[in-house]
Amino acid sequence: DTGVSQNPRHKITKRGQNVTFRCDPISEHNRLYWYRQTLGQGPEFLTYFQNEAQLEKSRLLSDRFSAERPKGSFSTLEIQRTEQGDSAMYLCASSLEPISSYEQYFGPGTRLTVT
Amino acid sequence: AQTVTQSQPEMSVQEAETVTLSCTYDTSESDYYLFWYKQPPSRQMILVIRQEAYKQQNATENRFSVNFQKAAKSFSLKISDSQLGDAAMYFCAYRDDKIIFGKGTRLHILP
């Protein structure tokens, strides 16, 4: 197992287009998290899943954003009608609760640029 | 709501010297976890050290140690014998179900 992976690593899109990112967590990790990180800031929580159930969504997650984890393994984050303010690094993390003592393992991120 | 504050946007330290990064947080909970994460340039976030709030003993991991003051809600990171590979953004973080991060401190190591 090589850790959390995210695809694509970079995405450039025009304003108004839809984009979808994928996250593959560490095998058997039951929790999966999405964060957004803008330049010079710390990551901000967006949403998280326990297996396939989405348990919490941040108010940052407007109705243009949707996340799924259909079989409790990989997850997708879709942004519809992208805006320039959506430009950021989107980070995925996973953990095995309660065994991992709350340590989250992060992926390399997907950098989104909206032009 | 829980908040995490890092008041030092940037710091520099001479190689082989010791540096301390500051962090304060706010919570009404009594049991929680605190973390320091490291994010090297263009590389992914990795955990440096973890502290359980119910433990009075400060956590240590090799050259990294924390000074956890629960009553003061303070959680500083000390890096001893600084190395060039320690250059990175360091984020202090508080955990309930999700992680709440501070804005980070960029650490420069001077050769």
Side-chain angles (χ1 to χ4, degrees), chain A residues 34-36 44-47 56-58 60-61 77 90:
Chain A
W34 285 100
Y35 295 87
R36 182 175 71 185
E44 298 173 291
F45 168 78
L46 292 178
T47 188
E56 186 174 347
K57 294 194 292 186
S58 163
L60 293 175
L61 216 65
L77 177 67
Y90 290 84

Side-chain angles (χ1 to χ4, degrees), chain B residues 10-54:
Chain B
E10 287 195 63
M11 293 192 71
S12 297
V13 63
Q14 209 74 35
E15 193 176 4
E17 296 295 309
T18 295
V19 64
T20 299
L21 309 183
S22 302
C23 173
T24 58
Y25 61 94
D26 190 26
T27 183
S28 57
E29 302 292 330
S30 59
D31 194 17
Y32 47 87
Y33 287 79
L34 295 166
F35 305 91
W36 279 96
Y37 277 87
K38 171 184 177 181
Q39 189 176 41
S42 301
R43 295 180 62 187
Q44 62 203 75
M45 192 96 65
I46 56 174
L47 180 67
V48 174
I49 198 165
R50 166 181 50 224
Q51 175 79 41
E52 293 93 332
Y54 66 87

Side-chain angles (χ1 to χ4, degrees), chain A residues 32-104:
Chain A
L32 188 148
Y33 305 79
W34 285 100
Y35 295 87
R36 182 175 71 185
Q37 185 178 21
T38 53
L39 204 60
Q41 301 294 316
E44 298 173 291
F45 168 78
L46 292 178
T47 188
Y48 85 95
F49 293 84
Q50 171 94 10
N51 299 313
E52 65 274 10
Q54 189 172 18
L55 295 188
E56 186 174 347
K57 294 194 292 186
S58 163
R59 58 183 171 79
L60 293 175
L61 216 65
S62 75
D63 57 5
R64 296 185 298 105
F65 288 71
S66 63
E68 295 183 339
R69 194 182 183 199
K71 297 183 179 179
S73 57
F74 73 91
S75 176
T76 58
L77 177 67
E78 181 184 14
I79 309 174
Q80 297 182 327
R81 304 181 305 280
T82 52
E83 302 173 355
Q84 287 188 323
D86 297 332
S87 296
M89 177 77 85
Y90 290 84
L91 298 172
C92 176
S94 70
S95 67
L96 181 61
E97 305 295 340
I99 296 171
S100 70
S101 297
Y102 296 102
E103 178 176 353
Q104 296 183 11

Side-chain angles (χ1 to χ4, degrees), chain B residues 5-6 9 13 19 23 39 45 57 62 71 80 83 89 95 103 109 111:
Chain B
T5 302
Q6 294 178 251
V13 63
V19 64
C23 173
Q39 189 176 41
M45 192 96 65
Q57 185 173 7
N62 301 314
S80 304
Q83 300 175 0
M89 282 290 287
R95 163 81 194 250
K103 291 189 174 184
I109 309 296

